[in-house]
Amino acid sequence: MLAYHVRKQRCCGGIVLLVGLALGGPSTAQKADPLAKWERFDFVHNRITADHLQDLSLLQLKYMRGIVFGKHGRVFDEQAIQDWLKSRPWYHPDSKYKVTVLNDNERADMDAIKEAEFHKHDHIEPGDLKFYREKAITAKQLGEHSAIEWTIMRAEIEAIHGKPFPDQPWLQSFFEERYWYHPDPKYKPGTLTDIDRKNLATIATAQKEQRKIALAPGDMELFQETPITPELLHGLSLYELRLLRNEVYARRGKRFHTKWIQDHFADEDWYHPRKDFDEPPLSAVETKNVATIVAAENQLHDSLTTKSLSADLLTNMFLEDAGKTAQRDLCAPRQNLHRSLAGRLFPQL
């Protein structure tokens, strides 16, 4: 029998109501199914902690998330959770569900569930970055990830501070579906702490090492007086090459007519845009580096339409690349490629 007990306790000059969950002689069914009591638990009015969940497995914790959201009729893209919810007699899917329906108690309960999952992860995963707001990440803790996972983990550090992502609609939609996300139109990169910046740098370095690439967007500061060779650009996507090329100009203060490029650089602390849209003068080395990057872009453009696409190239493909292959057999529509993948991989964050 599931029961609640309530007791009063004086604290800080006031009275606090402590609500507990009591089990009077657990039944065989409850022993067999440790989630049974949580299916009847009132998450709307009560709070739990990660300690309450320490005996649950990762799969059971996943179903716990399903319970909190499923009570409001959320339909999950993650098939394992959705199939489990369909087997529950209390579950009634609601096509009008929105994450805003969760109250403060339910959001706190979700934090507890996520913390319990975090402690069971072998490596840092998307959704774990909130637990590193005050401590540095190491490369060993990160492990290996897909291109989308790396993108989401970097963005998650910024999204925690309310950063909007107008230049990446799929990413904006992704975070808008997270219970903890509160977009701030006044967000500025200066909001990030020193720890945040160190963790972003660690993630960027780990991703480069995994992909076996020598440089990535954000690295052009190191090549303002050093020539780039074609070998250094090996493995980069069209999206990344385009950012690298424009970064050369951005570091000279160029303002961009293309909104997503301007928005991208506006988030960088080192970017100080000119008042006009004139082309800033480049040094001889920078001019040569731009030419080298353009040559790499042209070569990759041609390969996308004339050669078979490798699994590695598809893994690291961004929207720029997807548009180039739209005329071929790529199944996912261009505008939905990343959003659909992210939704399937991380519907729980």
Side-chain angles (χ1 to χ4, degrees):
M1 176 70 69
L2 185 72
Y4 294 101
H5 62 271
V6 181
R7 61 189 178 88
K8 295 182 179 180
Q9 176 176 310
R10 292 193 173 275
C11 177
C12 305
I15 297 178
V16 178
L17 288 179
L18 300 179
V19 181
L21 190 63
L23 289 173
S27 66
T28 302
Q30 289 170 343
K31 288 181 179 179
D33 183 5
L35 294 178
K37 67 178 181 180
W38 297 114
E39 291 186 69
R40 295 190 292 273
F41 186 77
D42 183 4
F43 292 98
V44 174
H45 298 100
N46 300 291
R47 294 193 180 187
I48 59 176
T49 68
D51 290 340
H52 292 131
L53 311 172
Q54 60 184 349
D55 293 331
L56 297 182
S57 68
L58 273 172
L59 179 60
Q60 290 165 341
L61 289 169
K62 180 182 293 189
Y63 293 157
M64 281 287 290
R65 287 189 267 106
I67 294 172
V68 177
F69 290 113
K71 292 287 186 177
H72 294 285
R74 174 177 173 176
V75 177
F76 280 79
D77 291 325
E78 191 171 359
Q79 200 60 45
I81 295 180
Q82 188 59 29
D83 288 344
W84 184 81
L85 285 175
K86 288 180 179 178
S87 71
R88 318 323 289 172
W90 50 263
Y91 176 63
H92 303 287
D94 183 359
S95 60
K96 297 181 179 179
Y97 162 86
K98 291 186 179 299
V99 72
T100 52
V101 73
L102 269 64
N103 68 14
D104 290 343
N105 284 330
E106 291 168 303
R107 292 171 191 271
D109 291 337
M110 276 301 304
D111 283 341
I113 295 170
K114 290 300 298 177
E115 183 181 353
E117 288 184 281
F118 160 69
H119 289 305
K120 293 181 182 293
H121 289 159
D122 294 328
H123 299 288
I124 296 172
E125 297 184 9
D128 288 347
L129 279 304
K130 68 188 301 177
F131 303 108
Y132 288 90
R133 295 186 64 175
E134 298 180 358
K135 57 183 177 180
I137 291 170
T138 66
K140 185 177 180 180
Q141 289 174 309
L142 285 169
E144 294 190 354
H145 299 279
S146 70
I148 289 181
E149 288 175 318
W150 286 118
T151 299
I152 288 177
M153 287 197 296
R154 289 197 309 271
E156 187 179 323
I157 292 176
E158 300 167 312
I160 288 171
H161 293 277
K163 177 182 176 179
F165 301 88
D167 57 325
Q168 294 175 285
W170 72 272
L171 198 56
Q172 181 65 37
S173 296
F174 175 80
F175 283 118
E176 285 177 352
E177 294 172 0
R178 306 312 115 188
Y179 74 93
W180 49 263
Y181 180 58
H182 302 286
D184 181 2
K186 296 182 180 180
Y187 166 86
K188 294 186 181 299
T191 306
L192 298 176
T193 66
D194 289 341
I195 290 292
D196 290 328
R197 297 178 196 282
K198 289 179 181 177
N199 288 343
L200 284 169
T202 301
I203 291 173
T205 300
Q207 182 182 14
K208 285 194 294 183
E209 290 178 353
Q210 178 186 314
R211 291 178 57 192
K212 296 179 172 59
I213 58 176
L215 74 161
D219 291 344
M220 291 309 295
E221 179 183 12
L222 305 175
F223 294 90
Q224 290 179 306
E225 299 179 1
T226 304
I228 287 176
T229 64
E231 291 75 19
L232 291 174
L233 303 175
H234 179 73
L236 296 179
S237 67
L238 287 173
Y239 174 84
E240 292 166 316
L241 288 170
R242 187 174 184 184
L243 285 179
L244 275 181
R245 170 166 51 84
N246 284 290
E247 186 181 329
V248 177
Y249 294 97
R251 289 188 178 276
R252 291 285 186 175
K254 178 178 178 177
R255 293 172 62 89
F256 299 90
H257 292 284
T258 304
K259 187 177 185 301
W260 74 266
I261 296 178
Q262 181 63 33
D263 288 342
H264 174 84
F265 291 117
D267 284 336
E268 301 292 345
D269 286 341
W270 50 259
Y271 181 58
H272 303 289
R274 299 160 59 102
K275 294 181 179 180
D276 54 51
F277 283 89
D278 293 345
E279 289 286 316
L282 301 181
S283 68
V285 170
E286 290 171 323
T287 300
K288 183 178 180 180
N289 284 345
V290 168
T292 301
I293 297 171
V294 169
E297 288 182 272
N298 292 336
Q299 184 178 13
L300 186 52
H301 267 293
D302 292 340
S303 68
L304 288 177
T305 54
T306 60
K307 298 180 181 180
S308 298
L309 299 178
S310 67
D312 183 63
L313 182 57
L314 284 171
T315 298
N316 293 308
M317 183 172 283
F318 283 76
L319 297 184
E320 295 291 317
D321 310 340
K324 191 66 177 177
T325 59
Q327 57 189 309
R328 300 176 60 195
D329 298 328
L330 195 61
C331 297
R334 180 184 184 192
Q335 65 270 28
N336 294 327
L337 178 62
H338 277 78
R339 183 179 179 185
S340 61
L341 284 173
R344 290 201 301 271
L345 288 170
F346 318 111
Q348 74 276 17
L349 300 185

